[in-house]
Amino acid sequence: MIIAIDGTTSSGKGTLAKRLAAHYGLPHLDTGLLYRAVAKSALNKGIDFKDERECALLAAHIDLAEFDERELRTAGVGTAASVVATLGAVRRALFELQRKFAQQKGGAVLDGRDIGTVIAPDADVKLWVDASVEERARRRFKELSAMGEDVTEHGVLMQLKDRDARDSQRKDAPMKPADDAVWIDTTRMTPDECLAKAIEVVEARKAAPKEKKAPVKKPKA
Ligand code: C5P
């Protein structure tokens, strides 16, 4: 079973994906980490984010095992990731890796922005996870403060609005819910309630499997 989870930054989709994967004993890929790793590599090597060819070369050879996850989770790397994620060549370079992960025997859980629309349009279950931008800013502010980052809640709110706009307005694979995604608004939900709702959706799908799966097209150059 392929479970595709898409949604906005700090909506709770990452936590949900991890917990859902553990619940069903499925491997999980946080695809945001791939874009974060490309951005971090470019920053380390002094490569300009406008240099699509060089950024795509980094993406083609990215290995998450070479990165310290804490360094990828910073606010600065998140913003940089959303900039490299606008580059079509970077997205194409990361496509096969994500697609292979989705197609592994037994299934997988992937979370990101374009999983249900581009990476796994054939997913058995698609979830779109969102929350009000104010609530997301509150959560993200708490997280970043706990990581020792010097941020204000207002600054985080502005960054999230910026990131939402860049992610949803880019030309290639913009962030959007798949037509057949089930929406979960986590604004007033606890992580446990969110997990319970997602399990309910998965169980309903298991009881009534999809008859026809959407075709998967590799993004064109
Ligand atoms: O989810 P996370 O905040 O780690 O993602 C960082 C950035 O990577 C996002 O803002 C988005 O621009 C990009 N991304 C993407 N497609 C994905 C996952 C992440 O464009 N599937």
Side-chain angles (χ1 to χ4, degrees), residues 9 13 31-33 35-36 78 81-82 85 91 98 112-115 163 167 170:
T9 306
K13 67 178 184 336
T31 63
L33 280 181
Y35 292 91
R36 285 173 180 264
S82 79
R91 306 200 73 84
Q98 296 173 83
R113 305 289 189 293
D114 62 342
I115 309 303
R163 190 115 81 92
D167 286 350
R170 67 177 175 232

Side-chain angles (χ1 to χ4, degrees), residues 22-36:
H23 180 84
Y24 286 106
L26 292 171
H28 165 230
L29 179 64
D30 172 351
T31 63
L33 280 181
L34 298 172
Y35 292 91
R36 285 173 180 264

Side-chain angles (χ1 to χ4, degrees), residues 95-112:
F95 177 84
E96 289 300 343
L97 186 162
Q98 296 173 83
R99 183 68 199 143
K100 240 190 209 153
F101 193 92
Q103 279 182 304
Q104 63 191 289
K105 210 167 158 239
V109 178
L110 291 89
D111 74 278

Side-chain angles (χ1 to χ4, degrees), residues 133-180:
V133 71
E134 291 78 16
E135 174 59 19
R136 293 191 284 124
R138 204 184 56 75
R139 293 176 191 166
R140 189 73 183 130
F141 170 68
K142 244 173 107 180
E143 254 172 44
L144 291 172
S145 302
M147 283 161 65
E149 287 210 35
D150 185 16
V151 284
T152 64
E153 194 166 325
H154 180 72
V156 171
L157 177 68
M158 293 299 119
Q159 274 179 4
L160 282 186
K161 286 186 172 174
D162 239 37
R163 190 115 81 92
D164 284 354
R166 202 166 26 247
D167 286 350
S168 55
Q169 288 163 19
R170 67 177 175 232
K171 196 170 112 277
D172 287 291
M175 168 177 79
K176 65 172 179 195
D179 291 341
D180 50 349

Side-chain angles (χ1 to χ4, degrees), residues 11-12 16 129-131 135 138-139 183-198 200:
S11 58
L16 174 64
V129 184
D130 200 2
E135 174 59 19
R138 204 184 56 75
R139 293 176 191 166
W183 290 47
I184 301 181
D185 182 340
T186 68
T187 309
R188 286 184 193 80
M189 282 172 114
T190 63
D192 281 351
E193 287 167 341
C194 190
L195 176 66
K197 168 77 191 159
E200 198 183 296

